[in-house]
Amino acid sequence: MSIPRSSGVLLHPTSLPGPYGIGELGAQTRTFIDWLAAAGQKYWQVMPLGPTGYGDSPYQAFSAFAGNPYLIDLTTLRTEGLLHDADFQAVPDFHPQKVDFGLQFIWRNQMLERAFAHFAYGEGAFPELATEFAAFKASEADWLDDYALFMALKRAYGGLPWNAWEPAVRDREPAALAAAVESLGQAPERVKFTQFLFTRQWNAARAYARGRGIQIIGDIPIFVAMDSSDAWANRRQFYFDEQGQPTVVAGVPPDYFSETGQLWGNPLYNWDVMREDGYAWWIERFGGSLKLYDVIRIDHFRGFAAYWEIPFPAETAIHGRWVPAPGHEMFEAVRAALGVLPIIAEDLGVITPDVEALRDDFEFPGMAVLQFAFGGGDFAVNDFLPHNLRENQVVYTGTHDNDTTRGWWVHAVEQERHNFRTYTSSDPTEETFVPLLMRIAFETRANLAVVPLQDIFNLGTDARMNLPGTTGDHNWTWRYNAGDLRPDLATSLRKLTEETGRA
């Protein structure tokens, strides 16, 4: 894939402003897209859009194919008659700048259940919507049927993970599944309808972006969540024992972020089994992602060359081992089925020649993060220094896993600040450092420069999106106020974009 010289902004939709406690795919989405266009940007990068579970991480979703119901714009449903004025009589007092996922789980799911009830049982008729819904169910049945049943069962089992369900249901015995479908009533249909609403609104947002000259970069994690419909419905393609417990799990060894590594806990793929049907699951997954995004960023790309296998159970990721993966063979199969894929490879971390070869053989752009460029005593050999970047690369000031750029400068060790001053022959203040690093990113030869919105706002650590290896209410919760998206910021970003040849 060849990306023209351009730039974009990283912002997850949950961070958009709005009245109901979390970003939605409605008016504020269109406002943000308009702002991007006014700022001369060509890309909007989002994190995974899947339905989140425990810990609220978009990288641990209940499905690799489904959308997050929390993003459904309720105002649109009200306009369409799927929600009534009476449904909004008891709206919680939401925090304007922080997502409360627990509150969303309770209140928003109740609102979506009401929308389904009005559609299925209400006095009003929705013939056109019913036709669209039927077509959606037919076209997405390969993943949607399993996902809808999984979520309905999960609710019936009080939220327990699938490997704690009744053994016959856990093991997907046909008679047990048939009995479950009979007992669950309309619950799976309600899940399907919610997915239909999400897809309908996301498609509308994407079409609006396309009309304004904005393409969507979407993030997909290499691994699926342990508690997901993907793992439950495709158990043979992972390393599970007879009770549905993983025998090995994913993570990364000790690195910049953690002295004990990161124990992610995702089930690992049984590549030998996946090879048997020509990597059909991966072809379906990439095909599904292309329905959502214009460009796909693969998180933890190196796992397609070799992955860190940790015996289960484990308390840390220290005692693992590198295991080769058939990434080259898999990508060949996907390319044969779908054509040349618009993929960005997140090639950060422990990168070895086999990872570089896999990336370069398919001409996938890699990544560079400028916050990583100035560490170490002999920083002159750092691959992320601006003069070392390649054209077929995407440069970031920071990502969702980094501190904001202002926060990084404040908390950086003195050696890093000294290295930056030496390299740039400058002595920035806390206030001037962020626009300086943004300019450096835009001036590099990397074809695409992406900046988190927090950096455009010049915000500190309080606006950080995620701290890897931690859980709690500080991750994934940041939102901005509508007034923060100022026209003068768009003007200055457009000026920078034009001056660096990215317009």
Side-chain angles (χ1 to χ4, degrees):
M1 182 189 68
S2 178
I3 297 178
R5 187 167 177 81
S6 54
S7 58
V9 174
L10 168 60
L11 178 79
H12 198 46
T14 57
S15 296
L16 291 163
Y20 302 122
I22 195 170
E24 297 175 305
L25 301 175
Q28 290 296 339
T29 292
R30 294 188 294 275
T31 296
F32 177 66
I33 291 169
D34 289 341
W35 184 91
L36 287 175
Q41 303 309 291
K42 295 295 188 289
Y43 291 94
W44 173 18
Q45 182 173 327
V46 301
M47 290 176 235
L49 294 175
T52 57
Y54 175 77
D56 311 309
S57 169
Y59 294 87
Q60 296 283 354
F62 288 131
S63 169
F65 297 86
N68 191 342
Y70 296 164
L71 297 174
I72 294 172
D73 184 59
L74 301 182
T75 302
T76 298
L77 301 189
R78 192 177 195 170
T79 301
E80 294 174 335
L82 290 169
L83 288 175
H84 302 163
D85 291 348
D87 297 322
F88 290 85
Q89 286 183 351
V91 177
D93 184 18
F94 292 109
H95 194 293
Q97 291 181 290
K98 187 176 183 179
V99 180
D100 184 333
F101 286 99
L103 191 55
Q104 289 295 324
F105 176 79
I106 297 170
W107 180 79
R108 188 168 292 266
N109 282 329
Q110 290 175 345
M111 295 294 282
L112 294 173
E113 287 175 6
R114 290 171 185 168
F116 176 73
H118 293 317
F119 169 77
Y121 312 115
E123 296 179 0
F126 301 91
E128 293 183 6
L129 206 62
T131 300
E132 284 184 50
F133 182 36
F136 171 77
K137 287 189 291 183
S139 66
E140 305 299 325
D142 285 348
W143 67 267
L144 184 62
D145 290 349
D146 284 326
Y147 172 71
L149 182 56
F150 171 85
M151 293 302 292
L153 283 167
K154 188 169 182 62
R155 182 169 182 172
Y157 280 102
L160 289 173
W162 62 267
N163 57 12
W165 298 349
E166 178 187 350
V169 178
R170 176 198 69 196
D171 298 339
R172 294 176 60 86
E173 295 179 9
L177 291 189
V181 169
E182 183 70 23
S183 67
L184 290 168
Q186 286 287 84
E189 189 77 354
R190 185 168 58 238
V191 175
K192 292 179 182 180
F193 185 69
T194 300
Q195 284 303 304
F196 165 66
L197 294 179
F198 168 86
T199 302
R200 198 162 175 261
Q201 291 192 1
W202 177 251
N203 287 345
R206 188 178 172 194
Y208 187 84
R210 191 180 301 116
R212 302 290 278 134
I214 307 296
Q215 295 191 67
I216 307 294
I217 301 173
D219 216 339
I220 70 169
I222 182 175
F223 299 119
V224 302
M226 172 66 226
D227 190 19
S228 66
S229 61
D230 312 288
W232 176 63
N234 303 280
R235 186 161 142 191
R236 186 169 170 267
Q237 303 202 61
F238 301 87
Y239 287 105
F240 289 116
D241 64 18
E242 293 182 356
Q243 284 72 47
Q245 289 291 341
T247 57
V248 288
V249 295
V252 289
D255 61 7
Y256 174 88
F257 290 116
S258 173
E259 293 180 355
T260 59
Q262 296 178 44
L263 179 62
W264 296 338
N266 305 75
L268 289 171
Y269 301 113
N270 188 327
W271 287 108
D272 291 337
V273 172
M274 289 185 154
R275 182 181 287 114
E276 293 174 4
D277 64 1
Y279 303 100
W281 185 85
W282 281 103
I283 293 170
E284 184 181 1
R285 186 179 187 190
F286 280 113
S289 296
L290 289 173
K291 293 180 182 179
L292 296 174
Y293 313 124
D294 299 293
V295 180
I296 299 168
R297 190 199 83 122
I298 298 177
D299 192 62
H300 196 61
F301 176 81
R302 73 142 296 111
F304 286 119
Y307 55 89
W308 189 247
E309 178 188 272
I310 306 161
F312 181 86
E315 294 183 359
T316 72
I318 291 177
H319 301 294
R321 63 172 187 147
W322 288 110
V323 178
H328 202 284
E329 184 179 300
M330 184 274 292
F331 280 118
E332 288 283 9
V334 173
R335 185 165 63 180
L338 302 176
V340 176
L341 295 178
I343 283 175
I344 294 170
E346 184 269 285
D347 54 348
L348 306 174
V350 182
I351 302 305
T352 48
D354 57 336
V355 182
E356 295 175 343
L358 179 62
R359 178 197 66 204
D360 295 343
D361 284 350
F362 289 90
E363 298 183 325
F364 296 150
M367 283 179 52
V369 178
L370 292 188
Q371 288 186 25
F372 297 155
F374 303 99
D378 187 11
F379 78 101
V381 299
N382 193 310
D383 288 340
F384 292 159
L385 283 171
H387 72 275
N388 287 331
L389 302 190
R390 306 180 304 276
E391 285 189 11
N392 195 31
Q393 203 165 18
V394 185
V395 61
Y396 296 78
T397 49
T399 73
H400 63 277
D401 279 338
N402 299 109
D403 200 345
T404 65
T405 293
R406 183 168 185 156
W408 177 84
W409 181 251
V410 170
H411 298 112
V413 298
E414 183 53 38
Q415 183 65 54
E416 289 177 308
R417 284 194 288 262
H418 171 76
N419 290 345
F420 179 84
R421 295 185 187 106
T422 300
Y423 184 84
T424 62
S425 300
S426 68
D427 189 14
T429 65
E430 178 182 336
E431 183 71 26
T432 62
F433 173 71
V434 179
L436 176 56
L437 196 68
M438 283 177 55
R439 174 166 287 277
I440 290 171
F442 275 58
E443 287 178 343
T444 66
R445 66 170 63 94
N447 282 342
L448 176 59
V450 177
V451 180
L453 188 65
Q454 292 97 314
D455 287 354
I456 294 170
F457 290 163
N458 206 344
L459 298 178
T461 299
D462 287 347
R464 180 172 186 158
M465 195 64 171
N466 178 52
L467 182 61
T470 69
T471 59
D473 61 2
H474 58 282
N475 288 334
W476 316 114
T477 63
W478 177 78
R479 299 176 72 204
Y480 70 88
N481 289 319
D484 296 338
L485 203 65
R486 305 194 315 264
D488 65 295
L489 292 176
T491 300
S492 61
L493 184 56
R494 173 178 280 278
K495 184 173 183 290
L496 174 62
T497 304
E498 291 173 345
E499 288 175 350
T500 54
R502 296 185 180 275

